[in-house]
Every structure is written in structure tokens, then in C-alpha cells.
Amino acid sequence: MKIIVLNKGITPTKTYNLDVSGWTKALLSVCLIGLPLGLGVALGAMINSGNSAIEVTENDNAQEWQEALAQQQEEIDQSKREAEAQLAAMTLRVAELQARLQRIDAVGERLTQAAKLDAGEFNFNEVPALGGPEEFSESINFEPPTFMTVLDEISAQIDNREMQLNTLEILMSDRQIQDDTFLAGRPIKKGWMSSRYGRRTDPFNGKLAWHKGVDFAGKENAEIIAVAGGVITWSGERYGYGNMVEVTHGSGMATRYAHNKENLVKVGEVVKKGQTLALMGSSGRSTGPHVHFEVYKNGRPVDPASYIHRTPRK
């Protein structure tokens, strides 16, 4: 076998003559053929190893992405649940405030009626009128309040107004009760005083007697009215009085209306000032249609004249 070695430059080419036997040729052939094959196998193994590494890396990235997406979805679901809970809480709070405003409006309407205000003077069904020029202050840094903060402020204002209105209602009610139980005026709408309080001649036997009330004569079936509000403590026949109605007004005061033709109220009934109690008649010890009117203070009869001529409260 001849081997020729080529050199660059001016160095001469060298030639080598090898005496190669049969087994040596076989060995060289295997080396020359096996070397490329080995290199190919090694290169293929390297390529396969790289592809496997790429596949592992891609699988790891896909799993990380899936885990990140799952975490983000959980955070979104949690935020949604919290938002729904806050919305439900705000809805309940607004409903509560609306109910309290309705109660305040009802109290205001009652006070308006009790105070006898003119129609439209103070209307709780309308939004209060507001106005004024628009002004700005540069020194104030505006920060919008949160919705719950606004609701809390409104709730505090409602608490304050509700307390004030309730207190005012109690005072107005007390005043109304006092006005209604204030004894004043005559127990009839039409008629005239026929007998006064004190000593007089008895119309049946002509003897001197003590008259514990005053008499108002009038037409039969004329209306007999309460001189003050109170509770009926007697309604029926009573010796010497005929058909009688007794009204207790509180504070130790009571009034009696006697000789009625017919009583129109029952025991335990609450009556108002000016309400019709009975119809004028001549029952009992009477000489004609009239009403015998008595005023009692702490269980003792007093002269009704001071109450009859009282100026009614308005």
C-alpha cells in the first residue's frame, strides 16, 4: 500500500510504501468504514438527546403556565365572591336606610298635622330645595369618599334627625293631650244656662238646697258634648241623675252630664274634646229638657263656671 503525504509550501511531497497483509487490510477497512458510521451514530444520539431535552423543557413550561392560569382564575373567583358579598351588604344597608327614612317621613307627616301647618308649607314627600353659587377652594385636596363611608354618614344623620323628630313628636303629643284634656267651654252646642252652681230653691219641694252643678236648658235631642277629652267611667242610670255620663280627664278632673234622653257612649271608651256624648232629655229628677253639668276636682264638686268661661287652647 502506498501512502502519499502532501505538504503546504515548498516542502516536498513524501511517499510511503507499506507492505499490507490480508488481515491488516481487513482491519483498515473496518476502521475506515466504522469511523463514519460511529460518527453518525454519535451525532444521531446527540440529536435525539437534544430533542428529548427540548420536549422536557416544553412540558415544564406548559405545566407552569397551567398552574399560573389556575392561580389567576382562583384569584378572580375570590374577588368576584368578595364583590358579591359587599354588594349584598350594601343592598341591605340601603334598604335599612330607606325604611328608616319612611319612618321619619311618617313622623314628619304626623307632626305637620298636629302642628296644623298650612298645606304645602312643609311637605315630607318632596326633596328639600337647595341652592347657592358654586365655589371652589384650591387649598382643599378633594378625595372622593368610599361608598360605605357615605352610607355611614347618611346613617348618622338619619339617627340624629330621627331622635329629634321622636322627641318633638313626644312633646307635640303631650301638648296635644294637654290641650285635649283642658276643660273649657259649654257642654252644649245650643241652649242657655237655666240654673247656676250653689244655693238655690229646690224646684220640687221649694226648700233651700245646694246645687252641685249648672243646668243648660235646650231642645230635646240636642247634642251634649264633652268639654275635654278623657275616658268614660260611667254611662247609665244613676239615682237623681237619670241617664248620666261621667268622663275622667286625668289629673284629678272629671265631668258629669245628666238627665239625658239617650247616652251615646260606653264605659271604657276614649272620647275627644267636642265629641257628642248624649242627647238632651228630661230623665231622672228633672222638670224639662236640659243637661245637668258637674265638674269634680280630686273627688269634690267645684263651680263649673270658671271652666265654662275659660278660653279654649288652640
Side-chain angles (χ1 to χ4, degrees), residues 50-224:
N51 291 335
S52 298
I54 292 173
E55 291 178 358
V56 171
T57 302
E58 290 179 351
N59 291 335
D60 291 342
N61 290 338
Q63 186 175 0
E64 289 179 359
W65 292 340
Q66 290 177 355
E67 291 177 354
L69 289 175
Q71 183 177 359
Q72 291 177 358
Q73 185 63 44
E74 178 62 25
E75 292 176 354
I76 292 173
D77 293 340
Q78 180 65 24
S79 300
K80 183 178 179 181
R81 289 192 294 268
E82 292 177 356
E84 291 176 349
Q86 291 180 357
L87 181 60
M90 288 188 292
T91 302
L92 292 175
R93 191 66 177 276
V94 170
E96 177 189 354
L97 293 178
Q98 289 176 340
R100 293 174 63 184
L101 284 174
Q102 290 177 353
R103 288 197 298 268
I104 290 177
D105 289 343
V107 173
E109 290 293 341
R110 289 198 299 270
L111 293 179
T112 301
Q113 295 175 0
K116 298 180 180 179
L117 298 177
D118 294 335
E121 183 176 351
F122 196 79
N123 192 348
F124 276 85
N125 295 323
E126 296 180 355
V127 178
L130 303 173
E134 187 176 11
E135 295 182 0
F136 298 95
S137 178
E138 298 180 355
S139 61
I140 299 177
N141 294 325
F142 176 74
E143 294 182 0
T146 62
F147 188 72
M148 293 303 296
T149 301
V150 174
L151 288 181
D152 290 339
E153 292 177 355
I154 295 175
S155 178
Q157 293 176 1
I158 291 177
D159 286 338
N160 187 24
R161 300 297 187 274
E162 198 170 26
M163 180 181 64
Q164 292 178 356
L165 283 176
N166 287 335
T167 303
L168 184 58
E169 183 184 25
I170 292 172
L171 294 176
M172 295 281 290
S173 299
D174 290 343
R175 192 183 74 177
Q176 183 66 32
I177 292 173
Q178 291 175 2
D179 292 345
D180 197 46
T181 57
F182 183 75
L183 273 69
R186 306 196 309 170
I188 58 172
K189 293 181 178 180
K190 294 180 180 180
W192 52 281
M193 185 181 293
S194 57
S195 180
R196 297 183 179 277
Y197 175 86
R199 295 182 182 275
R200 71 170 184 176
T201 300
D202 188 281
F204 288 94
N205 56 30
K207 295 181 181 181
L208 192 64
W210 184 264
H211 192 219
K212 295 189 299 182
V214 296
D215 295 336
F216 288 93
K219 294 182 178 181
E220 189 175 1
N221 293 324
E223 293 182 356
I224 299 171

Side-chain angles (χ1 to χ4, degrees), residues 217-237:
K219 294 182 178 181
E220 189 175 1
N221 293 324
E223 293 182 356
I224 299 171
I225 60 175
V227 297
V231 180
I232 304 299
T233 52
W234 184 282
S235 180
E237 292 187 7

Side-chain angles (χ1 to χ4, degrees), residues 223-251:
E223 293 182 356
I224 299 171
I225 60 175
V227 297
V231 180
I232 304 299
T233 52
W234 184 282
S235 180
E237 292 187 7
R238 191 158 182 166
Y239 177 75
Y241 289 91
N243 291 326
M244 189 194 80
V245 173
E246 182 181 75
V247 183
T248 298
H249 307 284
S251 301

